[in-house]
Amino acid sequence: MIENCVEILLVEDNPHDIKLAMYAFKSNNVANKVQVVRDGAEALEFIFCTGRYAHRNIENSPKVILLDLKLPLVDGTEVLRRIKADPRTEMIPVVVMTASKEERDIAETYHLGVNSYIVKPVDFDQFTEVVKQLGFYWMLLNQPPVAGK
């Protein structure tokens, strides 16, 4: 069911950052369908179609995942590790969007296969611009591989 296909999966536990991101997507007409999950365990259920999301088809993967690192239950690094370790999901672009500037976080996520690492700006206008640009790039400009190739 293509009409139910999620374009962006936003994995974020901060309600303020969720509001800002959704505002940026909506005001810039970036994506038609954004799914928000608020912890790493829920993200894994959504991505792998288990638990609360067992009704989903794994073939309807998001076009891009925006992933915070500091998440409750399962941290973002572990979510990334599982996404990139599974042949069904390894090609989904994952953009880490986090407050962490720690070199070890940056190095580890790139080692695990993250497509981009962005440190969240604190300023409202900068944050909305970053989210807008991410949406435009990953939804309109990026050319993903054909599924199953």
Side-chain angles (χ1 to χ4, degrees), residues 17 20 97-98 118-124 126-128 130:
D17 288 351
L20 285 178
M97 237 175 85
T98 185
I118 296 170
V119 177
K120 290 180 195 174
V122 209
D123 173 82
F124 171 82
Q126 285 180 323
F127 187 85
T128 16
V130 165

Side-chain angles (χ1 to χ4, degrees), residues 64-65 67 69 76-86 89-96 104-117 138:
V64 65
I65 298 171
L67 178 66
L69 287 186
T77 304
E78 182 59 25
V79 172
L80 175 64
R81 179 180 281 105
R82 292 188 196 175
I83 292 168
K84 295 303 182 178
D86 191 306
T89 57
E90 67 183 346
M91 299 301 279
I92 301 171
V94 179
V95 176
V96 165
R104 105 185 113 97
D105 287 340
I106 297 168
E108 183 177 15
T109 57
Y110 272 107
H111 178 72
L112 292 172
V114 76
N115 297 86
S116 185
Y117 190 105
W138 290 105

Side-chain angles (χ1 to χ4, degrees), residues 26-147:
K26 187 173 183 171
S27 64
N28 293 289
N29 299 314
V30 171
N32 293 323
K33 183 74 171 116
V34 179
Q35 175 73 37
V36 177
V37 296
R38 289 169 174 79
D39 61 62
E42 185 180 2
L44 292 171
E45 285 182 6
F46 184 87
I47 293 162
F48 293 105
C49 306
T50 61
R52 295 169 268 197
Y53 300 98
H55 64 280
R56 290 189 64 254
N57 182 342
I58 200 161
E59 301 299 319
N60 290 336
S61 297
K63 292 182 181 177
V64 65
I65 298 171
L66 301 182
L67 178 66
D68 189 11
L69 287 186
K70 310 301 182 200
L71 295 168
L73 303 180
V74 177
D75 76 350
T77 304
E78 182 59 25
V79 172
L80 175 64
R81 179 180 281 105
R82 292 188 196 175
I83 292 168
K84 295 303 182 178
D86 191 306
R88 300 170 299 165
T89 57
E90 67 183 346
M91 299 301 279
I92 301 171
V94 179
V95 176
V96 165
M97 237 175 85
T98 185
S100 174
K101 294 180 182 180
E102 293 181 38
E103 182 58 38
R104 105 185 113 97
D105 287 340
I106 297 168
E108 183 177 15
T109 57
Y110 272 107
H111 178 72
L112 292 172
V114 76
N115 297 86
S116 185
Y117 190 105
I118 296 170
V119 177
K120 290 180 195 174
V122 209
D123 173 82
F124 171 82
D125 291 329
Q126 285 180 323
F127 187 85
T128 16
E129 184 61 23
V130 165
V131 171
K132 178 180 99 172
Q133 293 301 325
L134 281 171
F136 282 138
Y137 177 79
W138 290 105
M139 300 305 299
L140 302 174
L141 299 176
N142 184 55
Q143 184 63 53
V146 177

